Amino acid sequence: MKIFYTDTFPIPLPEKHSFPKSKYDLLRRRIMESQIAQHVDLKIPRPATYEEIIRAHDPTYIHRLQNGELSAKEIRRVGLPWSAEIVRRARYSAGGTIEACRAALEEGIAVNLGGGTHHAFSDHGQGYCWLNDSVIAARAIQAEGLAGSILIVDCDVHQGNGTAAIVNNDPTIFTFSIHGKNNFPYQKEKSDLDIALENGADNAVYLKALEKGLKESMDTAGADLVIYLAGADPYKDDRFGRLALTKNGLVERDRLVFQSCLEAGLPTAVTMAGGYARDVQDTVDIHFQTVLAALKSKT
Ligand SMILES: [Zn+2]
């Protein structure tokens, strides 16, 4: 199974910043030191090109992002300090999702150990997200003629508002978001299918809702490819989550998604999205079990 990583490109942050940048590097190391190391092919992707990025984003925004011309207010909205390095990392991370899609179409499933930056809108960033890798990748794959219709299954605990807004009038990309009703973003956009869960929703409530949502979105989307955002933040001990899933519940979630895709004959590209557990090792455990479940679904 191909796994793309970009943690070798730095994210310059002030000390004690709440963004858990260490999880990416810890996750890759966990994979390399585990029993599955020999069954995976870890690769650095190529970065998303300007042409690919502007299929999802306003060219003026991209020009200003690239050249450090965003206002202080626009940067505050993202919550990360702007730097040329951080933009470079975002371009590689979006490239990882493109390459994971391509590999999934060839081999059934592939993983990007990054991506899932679903709060980025066409003309602005938000909530730790500069570029919307899901839409960039979906449209890159469509432009290459590799898939017509794409289903985005967003299981990050926060609504995929940027994704929903960008593809609002695009019938070829179906967005399904299952998230906490009372979580950021407080002003939600309209996905093709939204399932908003109350605070404290547990494994049973979540899995039942997810099963229903997967069935409905697969029946409606007529997709050729799935992009799955496997956020670790529905976890009960997540700082920003508000839901109450356990690690077992989250691995059941992953299995349910992979099983449904397999049964529908849909290639699946997996991205990591959020994860802010009080102990970063819990976030890494959750993402690692997603990788294990992906590999198992392939064999
Ligand atoms: Zn999130």
Side-chain angles (χ1 to χ4, degrees):
M1 183 172 75
K2 290 199 173 80
I3 300 182
F4 298 90
Y5 67 94
T6 46
D7 62 86
T8 44
F9 301 97
I11 303 181
L13 289 182
E15 258 189 59
K16 296 201 172 163
H17 193 285
S18 63
F19 185 77
K21 66 171 180 176
S22 65
K23 78 171 188 178
Y24 301 98
D25 160 73
L26 290 169
L27 175 59
R28 180 170 55 87
R29 283 169 201 278
R30 176 82 65 89
I31 294 167
M32 284 165 64
E33 287 158 11
S34 75
Q35 304 228 341
I36 64 163
Q38 55 184 324
H39 302 291
V40 300
D41 184 6
L42 279 154
K43 288 165 172 293
I44 294 180
R46 63 160 180 79
T49 64
Y50 175 75
E51 195 188 5
E52 286 166 340
I53 292 169
I54 60 164
R55 289 196 194 104
H57 290 279
D58 171 33
T60 310
Y61 165 61
I62 296 308
H63 179 87
R64 295 171 60 242
L65 172 67
Q66 196 73 40
N67 294 294
E69 294 168 9
L70 300 179
S71 68
K73 193 177 166 194
E74 287 175 290
I75 293 171
R76 260 202 314 278
R77 205 168 181 188
V78 175
L80 298 169
W82 182 92
S83 60
E85 288 86 357
I86 213 167
V87 176
R88 184 168 76 139
R89 167 79 170 250
R91 286 185 54 205
Y92 273 92
S93 179
T97 303
I98 299 172
E99 297 223 34
C101 286
R102 212 177 278 135
L105 286 160
E106 283 165 10
E107 300 172 6
I109 196 158
V111 178
N112 178 15
L113 301 182
T117 44
H118 57 169
H119 301 309
F121 286 69
S122 169
D123 64 355
H124 67 272
Q126 199 190 67
Y128 298 154
C129 306
W130 304 101
L131 297 176
N132 196 303
D133 62 297
S134 299
V135 185
I136 292 170
R139 291 192 170 153
I141 292 301
Q142 289 175 327
E144 288 173 41
L146 299 174
S149 187
I150 289 158
L151 167 61
I152 297 174
V153 173
D154 189 337
C155 290
D156 187 278
V157 82
H158 304 102
Q159 195 211 24
N161 58 338
T163 314
I166 299 174
V167 304
N168 187 31
N169 290 313
D170 182 346
T172 67
I173 301 177
F174 188 99
T175 54
F176 164 37
S177 177
I178 179 166
H179 50 263
K181 187 178 176 183
N182 303 307
N183 275 340
F184 175 92
Y186 302 107
Q187 189 186 332
K188 309 280 194 283
E189 299 291 327
K190 201 173 171 347
S191 312
D192 292 294
L193 176 62
D194 283 299
I195 298 182
L197 300 168
E198 298 292 343
N199 290 2
D202 61 9
N203 294 344
V205 169
Y206 187 98
L207 293 168
K208 196 171 166 214
L210 175 63
E211 191 171 11
K212 190 164 165 277
L214 284 171
K215 186 170 184 328
E216 188 181 329
S217 46
M218 285 185 183
D219 286 350
T220 320
D224 306 309
L225 169 71
V226 170
I227 298 175
Y228 170 41
L229 282 71
D233 47 13
Y235 180 53
K236 64 182 171 61
D237 205 25
D238 192 272
R239 286 178 290 135
F240 305 151
R242 295 178 195 242
L243 300 191
L245 276 77
T246 63
K247 288 182 188 174
N248 281 338
L250 285 159
V251 81
E252 284 305 319
R253 170 197 71 169
D254 295 334
R255 284 194 200 126
L256 185 56
V257 173
F258 296 142
Q259 183 70 29
S260 307
C261 292
L262 206 59
E263 282 170 11
L266 285 170
T268 309
V270 186
T271 63
M272 296 290 102
Y276 314 92
R278 267 167 261 278
D279 181 350
V280 72
Q281 292 298 346
D282 285 335
T283 299
V284 174
D285 288 348
I286 294 162
H287 287 315
F288 181 63
Q289 55 181 31
T290 299
V291 175
L292 286 179
L295 186 63
K296 247 185 212 154
S297 85
K298 190 174 189 280
T299 48

